[in-house]
Amino acid sequence: MTRERPRVGLLGGRGYAGEELLRLLARHPRFRLAYAASASLAGAKITQVYPDLEFDGTFVTPEEALTRPADLVVLALPNGRATELAAALDGVKVLDLSADHRFNPDWAYGLTEHHREAVTGAARVANPGCYATGAQLALAPLAAQFAAAPVVFGVSGYSGAGRRPSPRNDPERLADNLLPYSLTGHVHEREISAQLGRPVRFMPHVASFFRGISLTCAVELEGRTSVAELDRRYRDFYRAAPLIDITAEPPEVRGLANTPRAAIGGFAVDARDRRSVTLVCCLDNLLKGAASQAMQNLNLMCGLDELEGIADD
């Protein structure tokens, strides 16, 4: 893209992921905000909704947004609403944060660490789901050696359920509690399996903390392995991935919250059967699971360094 400061439009500025993306755009040295659209916030000043941001302007309706010029548009909308809008954005690069295009072969799949070349310069990119990001990062180095479908036990903070009130983001329901849901056929289970090319079992849960994801993965391999071999394999696999950490101890949610990083570690091999492996992946569902991963993709779509504008403190 030749424009000196590409204009980024955001459709869906009310959700948690949209809010985080606005924060990243506010400090990005190259991008500038073309508009932020939200049906429920239309007419409100951006600084009225998010006082710590310095954007000059108001939220517009999605219909008005489609008439405004932009070089890239991010669709941070609920599942099922992005397809029609994407079709109306002819000639504009589009990044979809919903699940609407993750199974569409005409869209690049934006798990940056695995698909960097496909995303670079792409006009249509589907941002992965938050659980799916962590599970794929955790399982991909072993996928060729699966002897059976891995089992992934996932726990997310309640921000993953969005702002619309539901049992999965109700503090009273979640207090001193762990809430399982969608235990078969979850959209992220299908997404993980499709991208790895192997079936995966995924069991999501939501807990009382606000942000972050922890995924414990149980894998049966075709051959025996060791902790040292797993550590070497993962470090080699992610050698060129600056935001992926490999750790000896199991990573913890609070260690990754408010960061754009993911950590994989706590490798354990069952002494009774050295083909049986367990490992843990943690990330921030609103950043590496959504907004900062979106920024990696936006950067690559424009031919920029993937870490441009992503603070990694």
Side-chain angles (χ1 to χ4, degrees):
M1 185 169 292
T2 58
R3 182 177 294 276
E4 184 177 349
R5 293 195 64 196
R7 301 162 298 181
V8 180
L10 173 64
L11 282 161
R14 180 177 181 272
Y16 290 123
E19 177 183 352
E20 293 290 346
L21 190 55
L22 280 172
R23 297 186 192 284
L24 291 173
L25 286 169
R27 63 171 178 248
H28 198 285
R30 299 286 298 276
F31 293 142
R32 56 193 173 105
L33 184 67
Y35 57 77
S38 168
S40 61
L41 297 177
K45 292 184 177 180
I46 296 176
T47 53
Q48 176 185 345
V49 180
Y50 305 124
D52 58 327
L53 297 182
E54 298 181 356
F55 287 123
D56 181 21
T58 61
F59 283 98
V60 300
T61 65
E63 292 75 17
E64 183 180 353
L66 294 177
T67 69
R68 295 197 172 191
D71 301 296
L72 304 96
V73 173
V74 180
L75 303 178
L77 301 167
N79 295 343
R81 294 181 55 192
T83 302
E84 182 178 353
L85 287 169
L89 291 165
D90 188 41
V92 178
K93 290 181 181 262
V94 179
L95 175 67
D96 183 9
L97 270 60
S98 80
D100 288 14
H101 297 99
R102 292 177 192 156
F103 300 91
N104 187 332
D106 294 330
W107 287 60
Y109 184 75
L111 183 55
T112 314
E113 287 74 18
H114 295 175
H115 302 285
R116 189 174 284 107
E117 291 186 6
V119 172
T120 300
R124 293 287 188 271
V125 176
N127 218 55
C130 52
Y131 278 127
T133 293
Q136 288 178 74
L137 291 172
L139 294 174
L142 302 176
Q145 286 81 42
F146 290 166
V151 177
V152 181
F153 181 91
V155 181
S156 173
Y158 64 85
S159 60
R163 295 188 190 271
R164 187 184 299 276
S166 78
R168 291 191 284 124
N169 57 20
D170 180 351
E172 292 187 10
R173 178 74 178 271
L174 294 172
D176 302 315
N177 200 10
L178 183 67
L179 188 64
Y181 66 99
S182 299
L183 296 178
T184 60
H186 190 283
V187 64
H188 288 174
E189 179 179 88
R190 293 186 280 118
E191 182 180 346
I192 300 160
S193 300
Q195 289 297 322
L196 294 179
R198 305 290 297 272
V200 173
R201 288 293 319 282
F202 171 58
M203 298 166 291
H205 300 69
V206 63
S208 59
F209 55 87
F210 177 69
R211 63 193 302 156
I213 282 177
S214 179
L215 297 153
T216 299
C217 307
V219 184
E220 182 182 347
L221 300 176
E222 293 176 342
R224 294 156 58 91
T225 190
S226 67
V227 170
E229 181 181 345
L230 290 169
D231 185 83
R232 285 194 300 272
R233 176 178 296 190
Y234 276 76
R235 291 185 189 278
D236 287 345
F237 195 93
Y238 290 114
R239 190 175 302 281
L243 295 179
I244 308 302
D245 297 321
I246 308 303
T247 63
E249 297 298 318
E252 299 180 11
V253 165
R254 64 182 178 181
L256 280 299
N258 297 295
T259 82
R261 311 188 70 82
I264 306 166
F267 301 112
V269 177
D270 193 330
R272 299 163 299 178
D273 182 353
R274 303 196 70 81
R275 299 171 300 170
S276 181
V277 170
T278 305
L279 63 146
V280 177
C281 179
C282 284
L283 51 79
D284 185 315
N285 60 301
L286 299 180
L287 289 176
K288 183 56 180 166
S292 64
Q293 181 150 257
M295 188 59 72
Q296 286 179 268
N297 287 322
L298 289 171
N299 284 329
L300 290 174
M301 292 167 76
C302 291
L304 303 176
D305 185 287
E306 72 182 76
L307 301 186
E308 192 93 39
I310 299 176
D312 184 18
D313 302 326

